[in-house]
Amino acid sequence: MTLGEITDENRTAVLALRVASDQEQFVGTVRGALEDAAEYPHAKPWYRAVLVDGDPVGFVMLSWNVEPQPPEIIGPWFLWKLLIDTRHQGHGYGALAVRLVAELVRAEGATELLTSYVPEDGGPAGFYAGLGFVPTGEFDVNGEVIVRLALP
C-alpha cells in the first residue's frame, strides 16, 4: 500500500470511492473533502489516494503541521478524512493507511496525531481505539470526539 498523489489518470477513480450507505453519516465523500480543502487553505490540507497495487481503494486528508486555531482548525497534525471504499473494506487498508500517515508525520517531528469521530452507534470509535487513539476530553465544533494517538 502507498499514499499517492491524485493525478489526471486516477482522479475519476478516486472521486468515485464511496463508503457503505450505513457509514455515510460518519464519512463524507472525496469530492466533499476536496471542497473543504479548497475552502480552508489555512488548514494546510494534505491529501492522498490510498493505493493498492496502484489502484485507488481509499483517500486520506490531513491538516499538515498547521497552527491550531480552535475551534475551527485542529492541529498541528489532524487526520481530517479517512475513507476506504466499501468494496475494499475488511482488508486492513484503513488501519494500514493510518499507520502510514502516523509514520509520515512522526518523520516530520510530530509527537501526536489527532482526529475526530461522530460519537454514535456504528461509528468508528472502536476502529480508532484499536489503533491506540484515546479521547482528549475535547470536542470539535460539530460535537465530534477528538482523539489522540501518541507518536513516541
Side-chain angles (χ1 to χ4, degrees), residues 42-61:
H42 53 291
K44 296 185 181 178
W46 178 94
Y47 48 85
R48 295 292 186 269
V50 177
L51 304 170
V52 174
D53 296 326
D55 295 324
V57 300
F59 175 85
V60 295
M61 185 165 78

Side-chain angles (χ1 to χ4, degrees), residues 72-83:
E72 185 178 64
I73 307 297
I74 301 169
W77 306 94
F78 183 77
L79 178 58
W80 196 351
K81 175 74 69 182
L82 172 64
L83 181 154

